[in-house]
Amino acid sequence: MENLVIAIDGPAGAGKSTISKLIAKNLGINYIDTGAMYRAITYKCLKSGIDINDRQKVVDLCSRTEVDFVDNSIYLDGVRLGEEIRTLEVSSKVSDVAKIPQVREFLLEKQREIGKRSDVILDGRDVGTHIFPDTKYKFFLNASAQERGRRRYQELVDKGQTVVLEDIIEDIKKRDYIDSTREVAPLVKADDAIEVDSTSMTIDQVVTYISDMVRRIGE
Ligand code: CDP
Ligand code: CDP
């Protein structure tokens, strides 16, 4: 029997990772945060002093980099990463790294390989359109940019970071633009994905809705 693959795509701050983690826990399946893999590459570039506009250097860096996702955690060259990949500095650069075709190719292969290991829920921008286009469990989670900015701001403040709401909304809008206009695997709803607007939904409501739909699709 084929593994269960649930794809959750959508823009920043829509609630993809929060919802995916909860569904993974409820169903007892693995969770893969594909965005964390792009963040890990970006983080390594910044740490190594590589100018992300120098595409060749970024591509070369990929060729000497190991990225993996084990037990719901991201590993970069064998080291588990945490909050260091969630800073505004990484966020503001990650979409420029993610638009480099060779970087996408490198991570796509890895994402498919990890995704095939077991039943899994993946969140990102191109899970339903490119990584696992054949899965029948596809969702596009969305919310207004204002609400997504507010959520992300609150999250960073709760973690003790000093941030300005307008900067967060601007970063989100800028990333939405770069992500949805890039040439390779842009952020777009797959034709057969179910769209969920979570602007005025609670986390529980979204989890219940998507879980019900997964059950129905599987019947
Ligand atoms: O958590 P947040 O929604 O802020 O972003 P993320 O899921 O961590 O993804 C960070 C960035 O990685 C996105 O803005 C995209 O540029 C890129 N990404 C991508 O291109 N394709 C994916 N499947 C996942 C993320
Ligand atoms: O992964 P993505 O960038 O799509 O979103 P996230 O990292 O899950 O962040 C969304 C933030 O909004 C989290 O702090 C959630 O607690 C909160 N939130 C949500 O995800 N969904 C709602 N319906 C309401 C709030």
Side-chain angles (χ1 to χ4, degrees):
M1 216 169 73
E2 293 233 326
N3 286 342
L4 169 71
V5 174
I6 305 173
I8 310 278
D9 288 306
K16 302 181 299 298
S17 64
T18 307
I19 277 45
S20 300
K21 275 182 210 159
L22 288 167
I23 294 178
K25 200 165 162 223
N26 291 347
L27 295 180
I29 64 177
N30 277 327
Y31 162 62
I32 297 172
D33 176 352
T34 63
M37 300 170 89
Y38 288 96
R39 285 177 179 272
I41 299 286
T42 309
Y43 170 75
K44 187 170 174 180
C45 287
L46 292 171
K47 239 180 74 168
S48 318
I50 286 177
D51 175 4
I52 53 152
N53 296 311
D54 190 339
R55 288 189 170 203
Q56 195 50 52
K57 286 224 169 94
V58 179
V59 174
D60 290 347
L61 176 134
C62 282
S63 68
R64 36 174 214 277
T65 297
E66 278 265 344
V67 182
D68 205 351
F69 216 89
V70 183
D71 290 338
N72 300 343
S73 293
I74 178 86
Y75 284 79
L76 175 69
D77 298 326
V79 177
R80 185 172 174 273
L81 296 179
E83 288 307 310
E84 59 270 52
I85 60 165
R86 313 256 163 222
T87 60
L88 198 49
E89 192 191 8
V90 173
S91 294
S92 68
K93 303 269 192 285
V94 62
S95 291
D96 286 322
V97 170
K99 71 181 183 196
I100 303 174
Q102 296 94 322
V103 173
R104 301 205 69 81
E105 226 170 273
F106 169 71
L107 289 181
L108 178 71
E109 220 172 282
K110 196 74 210 172
Q111 288 155 351
R112 284 195 179 137
E113 182 212 310
I114 305 172
K116 281 179 186 152
R117 287 177 194 162
S118 61
D119 289 349
V120 74
I121 182 163
L122 304 98
D123 85 321
R125 303 292 186 285
D126 63 341
V127 184
T129 51
H130 284 82
I131 310 177
F132 288 106
D134 295 335
T135 184
K136 43 184 188 165
Y137 303 94
K138 289 184 194 178
F139 298 89
F140 192 83
L141 191 54
N142 213 338
S144 70
Q146 191 69 27
E147 172 63 11
R148 290 186 286 120
R150 193 197 59 74
R151 289 176 186 173
R152 186 47 56 83
Y153 169 79
Q154 194 54 51
E155 200 177 54
L156 293 172
V157 168
D158 290 347
K159 284 177 188 164
Q161 292 191 33
T162 308
V163 282
V164 176
L165 176 62
E166 283 68 33
D167 291 349
I168 304 283
I169 295 175
E170 199 181 308
D171 168 70
I172 278 185
K173 285 184 175 167
K174 190 176 144 227
R175 277 203 285 145
D176 285 354
Y177 178 77
I178 302 173
D179 291 345
S180 37
T181 55
R182 69 178 170 229
E183 273 175 32
V184 183
L187 166 65
V188 60
K189 178 188 156 314
D191 289 340
D192 52 348
I194 297 169
E195 182 153 11
V196 184
D197 182 343
S198 78
T199 307
S200 42
M201 287 171 88
T202 63
I203 294 171
D204 276 355
Q205 286 172 328
V206 179
V207 170
T208 303
Y209 179 76
I210 293 183
S211 303
D212 284 349
M213 294 311 286
V214 167
R215 212 167 301 122
R216 266 198 239 172
I217 296 167
E219 278 169 5

